């Protein structure tokens, strides 16, 4: 049970460069109130300037990962200006996740609905408990989940995403894995270990390659294939000139493990 003055975001940093941000409104199923969105944006802004950051994990306290927007708060101020500001604020936060130069992992221990499902989809990777469930259920309340559809349609096939959006039905963790919304499933007591195993793999890779790769990955997705190849070719050329790549290729040639540069 959290107290009224408990922080909305719990932050933990380890000496490997892994930061974990934990949504901390368990009694409200971690609904994205204005205050929680602001707190999360503040953390993301700080992390974007952190040169030691290697991986970000977004987790949640309590039974739910995130139940979407705070509907009580939304209903209390029904005006076009308010709603435009709120959804713009949420969109900015989601884009901040994509703009971070490190992989972002959603660690999903419970239900993720509406903007909560959007948050899972917006993260670069997602590991979920076998008990987690996912839905964009706004349509059940007469509200099409338009903003969640942006991230959702970039993870699932068009028809699978649209079916979720027009039915509001839940996906099990197993179905979410099949549809491409999440990367891995773990039993609840193995969720931490599963995320840790993924972290170890990512941390073993050169930081600069991951940063350049993530930026290119999303850039090329939003353009035509000819321009995508131009971006990708330039990125690979720049990456190949980096000391980490030069060492990695040389190590492969010499059949040894790479000795990554100290700034990796």
């Amino acid at each position: 049970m959290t107290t009224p003055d408990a922080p909305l975001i719990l932050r933990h940093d380890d000496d490997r460069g892994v930061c974990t941000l934990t949504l901390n409104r368990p009694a409200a199923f971690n609904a994205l109130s204005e205050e929680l969105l602001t707190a999360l944006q503040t953390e993301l802004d700080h992390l974007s300037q952190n040169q030691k950051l290697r991986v970000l994990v977004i987790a949640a306290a309590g039974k739910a990962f995130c139940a979407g927007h705070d509907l009580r708060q939304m209903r209390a101020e029904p005006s076009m200006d308010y709603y435009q500001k709120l959804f713009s604020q949420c969109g900015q936060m989601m884009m901040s996740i994509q703009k971070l130069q490190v992989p972002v992992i959603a660690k999903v221990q419970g239900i993720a609905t509406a903007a909560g499902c959007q948050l899972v989809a917006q993260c670069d990777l997602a590991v979920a408990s076998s008990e987690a469930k996912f839905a964009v259920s706004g349509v059940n309340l007469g509200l099409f989940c338009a903003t969640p559809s942006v991230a959702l349609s970039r993870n699932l096939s068009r028809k699978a995403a649209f079916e979720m959006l027009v039915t509001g039905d839940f996906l099990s963790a197993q179905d979410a894995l099949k549809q491409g919304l999440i990367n891995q499933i773990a039993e609840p007591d193995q969720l931490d270990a599963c995320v840790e195993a993924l972290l170890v793999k990512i941390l073993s890779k050169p930081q600069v390659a991951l940063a350049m790769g993530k930026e290119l990955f999303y850039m090329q997705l939003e353009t035509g294939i000819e321009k995508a190849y131009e971006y990708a070719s330039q990125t690979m050329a720049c990456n190949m000139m980096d000391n980490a790549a030069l060492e990695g290729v040389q190590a492969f040639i010499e059949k040894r493990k790479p000795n990554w540069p100290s700034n990796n």
Side-chain angles (χ1 to χ4, degrees):
M1 182 69 67
T2 56
T3 59
D5 58 348
L8 293 172
I9 300 287
L10 302 177
R11 175 171 172 170
H12 177 266
D13 296 272
D14 71 20
D15 57 9
R16 301 175 300 174
V18 177
C19 176
T20 300
L21 299 180
T22 302
L23 309 183
N24 193 38
R25 294 188 73 204
F29 302 105
N30 297 307
L32 296 173
S33 63
E34 296 170 64
E35 296 79 10
L36 181 52
L37 283 171
T38 298
L40 190 50
Q41 184 68 61
T42 298
E43 292 290 353
L44 291 169
D45 289 344
H46 288 161
L47 288 170
S48 70
Q49 303 302 314
N50 185 346
Q51 299 301 312
K52 295 182 179 179
L53 183 68
R54 296 294 312 278
V55 186
L56 172 62
V57 177
I58 297 180
K63 294 182 178 180
F65 177 75
C66 178
H69 285 287
D70 189 320
L71 296 179
R72 291 182 182 276
Q73 194 176 62
M74 287 174 61
R75 191 64 184 87
E77 192 175 347
S79 72
M80 179 63 78
D81 286 346
Y82 171 73
Y83 291 142
Q84 287 177 334
K85 180 180 177 181
L86 175 66
F87 294 128
S88 177
Q89 179 185 15
C90 185
Q92 179 183 347
M93 184 275 292
M94 297 289 177
M95 284 305 301
S96 294
I97 291 173
Q98 181 171 311
K99 290 177 181 178
L100 273 184
Q101 291 191 320
V102 301
V104 181
I105 303 172
K107 177 183 172 184
V108 189
Q109 90 292 6
I111 65 165
T113 57
C117 188
Q118 177 185 1
L119 181 57
V120 176
Q122 190 66 55
C123 290
D124 306 309
L125 300 162
V127 179
S129 161
S130 59
E131 296 180 353
K133 294 182 179 180
F134 306 84
V136 277
S137 47
V139 69
N140 295 331
L141 308 177
L143 180 65
F144 188 85
C145 282
T147 45
S149 77
V150 175
L152 199 68
S153 63
R154 284 162 170 76
N155 282 248
L156 282 64
S157 68
R158 290 186 180 185
K159 285 184 170 58
F162 198 73
E163 181 176 355
M164 286 186 70
L165 289 159
V166 299
T167 65
D169 289 346
F170 275 91
L171 286 185
S172 66
Q174 291 74 20
D175 287 337
L177 179 64
K178 293 176 183 177
Q179 299 284 11
L181 180 59
I182 62 176
N183 297 88
Q184 299 180 33
I185 298 175
E187 292 305 311
D189 62 351
Q190 292 298 311
L191 184 58
D192 288 345
C194 191
V195 171
E196 176 60 24
L198 183 56
L199 285 172
V200 169
K201 291 181 181 180
I202 293 171
L203 292 169
S204 71
K205 308 302 187 290
Q207 183 176 4
V208 66
L210 296 179
M212 295 176 73
K214 176 173 175 177
E215 181 180 14
L216 179 277
F217 181 78
Y218 290 108
M219 185 187 301
Q220 63 86 22
L221 280 175
E222 302 303 323
T223 190
I225 189 168
E226 185 172 355
K227 183 62 69 173
Y229 271 118
E230 288 181 19
Y231 290 150
S233 297
Q234 182 64 19
T235 297
M236 287 205 74
C238 292
N239 194 170
M240 192 59 211
M241 291 302 296
D242 181 76
N243 288 334
L246 294 172
E247 164 59 15
V249 172
Q250 189 63 33
F252 177 82
I253 293 171
E254 297 175 1
K255 299 181 180 180
R256 59 174 173 80
K257 289 186 177 181
N259 182 21
W260 301 124
S262 59
N263 64 346
N264 171 46

